[in-house]
Every structure is written in C-alpha cells, then in structure tokens.
Amino acid sequence: MIDLQLTDKTHDEARQGEALVIEPPRSRNGRKLYIESYGCQMNFADSEIVASILFDQGFETTGDYQEADVVFINTCSIRENAEQRVRNRLSQFGAVKRRNPKLIVGVLGCMAERLKSKFLEEEKLVDVVVGPDAYRDLPQLIGQVEEGQKAINVLLSREETYADISPVRLNGNGITAFISIMRGCDNMCSFCVVPFTRGRERSRDPESVVAEARELVSQGYKEVTLLGQNVDSYKWNGIVNFAQLLEMVALVSPDLRVRFSTSHPKDITDEVLYTIARHDNICNYIHLPVQSGNTRILELMNRTYTREWYMNRIDAIRTIIPDCAISTDIIAGFCTETEEEHQDTLSMMDYVRYDYGFMFCYSERPGTLAARKLTDDVPEEVKKRRLSEILVKQQESSLFRLQQFVGKTVRVLVEGPSKKSEKDLCGRNDQNAMVVFPATDGIEAGQYVYVQVDRCTSATLLGTALI
Ligand code: 5AD
Ligand code: SF4
C-alpha cells in the first residue's frame, strides 16, 4: 500500500511523527514529557491540549525521548500504513523502556480509541491508553501507572470540546496556529474510521474560539486555521453557523489571516462562499475532498452527493470567489470501482484542475460500513496504478495552477527560513501556495511582503521580495 500526496506538508499524513517541544517554564517539577503526533491537523492540535493539561501538572516538554519521564504517541488510524508506522515507533520506545522501566509510555488518539484495551495486551510495553475525548483524565491515569497499574480511558463524549483549555503552542513558528472549532463527525462515509474513533460531532462555543484567536493575535500570531472534521456543519446552540463564526474570527483583526479545513461538498453553503469573498483576510483556499468523480462510487462511499452536485459547488466557488484555490482528497480503487469509474475521477480532476491534492489507495478499516458491507476487491496493483495516474494528473494540475502566478506579484506571510536553505525565506500566499525567495535585510518572519514570482515548480513559487 502506498500513500502519495502532493504539496501541502501540513495536511494529514504528510506530517508524521514530529516531536513537539515548548520552552521550559519557570517553576516545574522536573518531569519531562515527550509527545509525538501522527495524522491530521486535528491530532496536532490535540497534542497542544495534552501538553497544556500536563503543563498544569508541572511537566515540561522535551524533544529527546531518551530523557523523558513520559512518552506519548498521538496516533492515527485512517489507513493501515499509518497504524503500522505507529507500531514501529512504539517498538523503539519499548527498547528505551526496557533500559528504564520507570518510563511511562502512552498511546493517545484514534488508534487508542480503535484498539482500546487490546493495545495493552498486544503491546506489552504500553502503560496507558487514552482516547481523544479523555485527555482531562491524563493526570489521574499517570498517577495510576505510577502506582504500578496499567491505565485506560477511551470514553467518547457528546460534550467535550476542551473549550476552556488554552493550548500550549508546540514547536510552532509563532506565526500560524490551529484552533479547533468542533470535534467528532456525524457523517458516515463508508470508508472512514473517524466517526468510530472521534465520536459524535459537537461544536465549540464561538466566544471561546474568538477569545483564542484574540489571544493569538496579542501574542503576535498572524494566521489561524479553524479545524473541524466537517466545518460546514458547525452549529452553536442552533444559532451560530460556520459562515457566522468565520466572520467573527475574521473581524478579530484585519492583519490576521483566517483559514479553515475541512469542508464537505454536501454542506458548504453559498453563505460561506460570500463570507470568504467579503473579507480580505479570509484566505481564498478551500479544501473540498471529492473522494471519487463517479456517482455510483460516491453512493457506495455514502458521501451523499453526486458528481453533478460536486461540479455545481465548484461552479459556485468559481463564480463567487474567482481566484479561489481548491484542493481535494481522492481514494483510488474503492470497493468495486471499475476502470470507467476511475476515468470519471480523472475527468473530474480535469474539470476542477485542483491546486493541491492528497491521494490514497483505499485501505479497508475494520468496523467501517465498507468493511462490513462491501468487498475490497480491487487488486493492490490496480489500486496503485490508478493512484499513480491520479498523481500524475495532479502534478500537472498543480504546475498549471502555480504557473498562473509566474510574472505576478503575490502577498506572502513570511513563516521563516526555507527548508532547503537558510539563505532563503518562505511563506504562503493567500491561495496557500508556498513561496520561496532570498532572505533580505529588513524582512522577518511574521511580516507580510510582496514577492515578484519569476518561476515555479509543481510545489513552490520562486521569486524576489519587493521592498
Ligand atoms: N482508505 C484510504 N483513504 C482514506 N481516507 C479516509 N479513510 C480512508 C481509507 N479507509 C482518506 C480520505 C479522507 C482523507 C483524510 O483520508 O480521502 O478525506
Ligand atoms: Fe485524524 Fe482521522 Fe487520523 Fe484520527 S484517523 S488522526 S481524525 S486523520
């Protein structure tokens, strides 16, 4: 099984196993937490909640698991290979634990929720298993382990949003941050394990979202990404909808960029599109996963929209926000998918010409509707071949989209040195394109600069800052 995705390194499994570190605070108890996160942005945001809860218990974080008292791994279950990576990592932590039996090893997040107590039986060196809604219980669970017991809490909640917990921003650049606006998912896409691992959908109090955005602005942050499994179904007390929340956050500061993810094609409204169009600081970028371009497959996936409906939403975006970037997720080789149906996905890609894409081979997940009702009958080689055709098309499309910026000037929020060279700076434009340009005196991370774009690759715009 291979997973391939292009361009946006912050999405889904593109971010794997990053250790998160905060500066040691003033009065600590000397205990050290090492936390590593896998999977989606929501998981990374959750690790910041976990760090905050343990910070209150006197823990400081470390980037070196060898010196930690507690090692947590915040896991993802979305595809089988994501779980395999976590298991490999756990066996490395297990080796450290053999040398230092006092080390507490914990599994958090989706995989903890999926496997529950089975984890403690399968992975003997794991001490604590905690699902995504039980992080407030961590201090108590750690105490239990210190008394020599194994500890587990995988209860899902209908209310928990961690609204009152101020996340400790981990390993961030001090410029861009995530804000969770809701948790869980009530859609029952047949391929997806998330409704089982993250539970029922619940929205967070808009006042607490706005307060968090304000606090970030006061700390010098310049961009927030509002996170939810399906942001368009955000609803607070039956009154505030996602478009209204988006506007409330946009009004916090004209200098604060607002992004959001993920939108669902069945739910994204024109009201949301008009709100984006109305506010300069709401970025013109929508992640609108199509999954498949064929109506029969969409029905089997239980996506509750047709090919035509999706195209209509794309048309609405193009009309209301003409320069909006659009990205997608696509699954290759879903149950019973024929060659013609795969061609429908390719032709959908031609229709939309996505700016970015995240593409995966279908991976059956135990307990899902598809695992129970459908046959995973597309041979692995066929899935891989279809995936590579999708990938090639996306690469062409990304290049096409980025070429539109060549010769133009784009406004970039500088995030810091580029990954490849300290001599270059990088940041994103409004449409989420990564822009790299030579560092110049007077330009610092956190500033907005105009960059004249000279050329591009299929993933990056290259140019010179105008000062
Ligand atoms: N197999 C492959 N890809 C999957 N995704 C979710 N579940 C599966 C699965 N069982 C993909 C979808 C989703 C993205 C986050 O991961 O495309 O949008
Ligand atoms: Fe995130 Fe989904 Fe993976 Fe859970 S299963 S970590 S919600 S991508």
Side-chain angles (χ1 to χ4, degrees):
M1 163 86 49
I2 47 169
D3 277 356
L4 298 164
Q5 60 285 108
L6 285 172
T7 60
D8 187 348
K9 294 274 160 41
T10 63
H11 188 267
D12 197 51
E13 286 178 70
R15 287 181 79 188
Q16 286 299 337
E18 285 176 29
L20 303 163
V21 193
I22 47 170
E23 291 302 312
R26 291 151 304 280
S27 77
R28 305 282 86 201
N29 62 13
R31 288 197 294 175
K32 291 197 167 110
L33 163 71
Y34 173 88
I35 181 161
E36 200 169 277
S37 308
Y38 289 75
C40 61
Q41 295 167 333
M42 187 71 88
N43 248 15
F44 281 73
D46 278 3
S47 290
E48 300 188 336
I49 304 263
V50 169
S52 175
I53 290 167
L54 291 199
F55 182 86
D56 289 346
Q57 299 294 310
F59 278 87
E60 63 181 69
T61 50
T62 170
D64 177 7
Y65 67 85
Q66 311 265 4
E67 64 161 31
D69 301 282
V70 173
V71 167
F72 280 159
I73 178 158
N74 198 352
T75 60
C76 173
S77 282
I78 198 104
R79 282 169 289 276
E80 201 180 339
N81 56 357
E83 292 200 348
Q84 198 45 51
R85 270 192 285 261
V86 166
R87 286 194 193 277
N88 295 344
R89 195 65 177 138
L90 273 176
S91 62
Q92 283 170 306
F93 295 147
V96 183
K97 192 171 163 69
R98 269 189 214 98
R99 289 198 299 275
N100 169 17
K102 277 197 166 158
L103 175 70
I104 296 176
V105 176
V107 175
L108 317 181
C110 290
M111 222 174 144
E113 191 62 50
R114 196 178 81 72
L115 293 166
K116 302 187 166 70
S117 60
K118 243 166 83 189
F119 228 124
L120 296 173
E121 291 151 29
E122 284 172 20
E123 307 278 343
K124 298 270 180 271
L125 295 166
V126 170
D127 304 294
V128 51
V129 171
V130 191
D133 286 346
Y135 297 143
R136 285 182 204 268
D137 201 20
L138 275 168
Q140 191 271 121
L141 295 167
I142 289 174
Q144 220 172 301
V145 175
E146 282 167 344
E147 281 163 19
Q149 300 162 39
K150 299 264 177 192
I152 179 164
N153 187 343
V154 287
L155 287 177
L156 288 174
S157 157
R158 279 176 175 260
E159 288 92 34
E160 182 63 272
T161 58
Y162 301 111
D164 56 314
I165 295 184
S166 179
V168 169
R169 305 290 163 188
L170 295 166
N171 244 18
N173 50 16
I175 295 154
T176 60
F178 297 130
I179 302 182
S180 288
I181 62 163
M182 56 203 296
R183 299 182 71 79
C185 183
D186 278 355
N187 295 320
M188 272 289 178
C189 299
S190 61
F191 51 79
C192 192
V193 78
V194 171
F196 305 97
T197 61
R198 287 190 164 266
R200 297 304 298 268
E201 187 177 286
R202 63 225 102 114
S203 298
R204 179 175 165 191
D205 181 344
E207 290 305 329
S208 75
V209 172
V210 169
E212 196 172 323
R214 281 210 189 98
E215 193 184 326
L216 286 164
V217 169
S218 73
Q219 292 164 355
Y221 281 81
K222 294 284 167 54
E223 183 180 299
V224 293
T225 303
L226 308 183
L227 292 181
Q229 236 51 259
N230 176 8
V231 290
D232 300 294
S233 61
Y234 176 90
K235 195 96 192 175
W236 175 253
N237 267 355
I239 307 166
V240 181
N241 67 17
F242 179 59
Q244 290 158 331
L245 178 75
L246 200 51
E247 180 144 77
M248 286 164 77
V249 178
L251 291 173
V252 165
S253 160
D255 247 8
L256 180 73
R257 269 185 177 177
V258 186
R259 299 189 184 278
F260 56 91
S261 185
T262 294
S263 304
H264 196 299
K266 83 173 155 61
D267 293 323
I268 189 167
T269 58
D270 287 355
E271 190 190 355
V272 167
L273 303 182
Y274 284 115
T275 306
I276 300 170
R278 229 179 12 252
H279 292 273
D280 274 350
N281 61 331
I282 304 180
C283 292
N284 290 349
Y285 168 49
I286 299 175
H287 182 56
L288 196 70
V290 69
Q291 311 297 358
S292 163
N294 175 268
T295 297
R296 188 186 76 91
I297 293 295
L298 287 170
E299 207 175 315
L300 287 180
M301 288 177 164
N302 201 24
R303 290 289 287 175
T304 68
Y305 55 85
T306 60
R307 175 183 172 88
E308 290 68 33
W309 172 279
Y310 185 89
M311 287 173 154
N312 169 287
R313 294 288 73 209
I314 295 294
D315 296 346
I317 296 171
R318 299 267 182 247
T319 310
I320 299 168
I321 321 163
D323 60 346
C324 192
I326 303 174
S327 62
T328 192
D329 293 342
I330 294 175
I331 296 178
F334 187 65
C335 309
T336 74
E337 184 189 69
T338 66
E339 215 45 49
E340 293 77 54
E341 289 165 340
H342 164 61
Q343 290 300 325
D344 282 348
T345 296
L346 294 174
S347 74
M348 176 66 88
M349 295 177 78
D350 286 335
Y351 184 79
V352 184
R353 296 197 112 171
Y354 292 106
D355 293 71
Y356 321 99
F358 307 93
M359 281 81 54
F360 318 98
C361 281
Y362 173 59
S363 157
E364 186 176 90
R365 306 311 293 132
T368 55
L369 277 175
R372 284 184 278 136
K373 300 249 159 67
L374 304 170
T375 321
D376 180 14
D377 57 356
V378 178
E380 211 58 30
E381 327 73 78
V382 176
K383 284 183 187 168
K384 283 184 187 165
R385 196 252 307 144
R386 289 182 190 167
L387 178 63
S388 69
E389 288 172 13
I390 290 168
L391 188 75
V392 166
K393 194 169 277 296
Q394 185 50 50
Q395 207 139 17
E396 289 165 6
S397 177
S398 293
L399 183 63
F400 168 81
R401 289 291 174 200
L402 288 184
Q403 278 168 344
Q404 311 302 304
F405 293 111
V406 175
K408 298 200 173 118
T409 301
V410 294
R411 187 167 180 257
V412 175
L413 172 60
V414 184
E415 289 181 21
S418 89
K419 280 218 176 98
K420 289 200 183 134
S421 163
E422 283 284 321
K423 291 186 183 143
D424 290 331
L425 289 171
C426 72
R428 290 175 188 277
N429 75 353
D430 192 72
Q431 285 91 343
N432 211 33
M434 181 51 85
V435 186
V436 173
F437 54 96
T440 321
D441 280 347
I443 301 183
E444 285 173 8
Q447 250 177 273
Y448 288 101
V449 292
Y450 286 93
V451 174
Q452 170 72 31
V453 180
D454 314 317
R455 61 203 166 88
C456 69
T457 68
S458 65
T460 315
L461 297 175
L462 301 151
T464 323
L466 305 174
I467 33 173

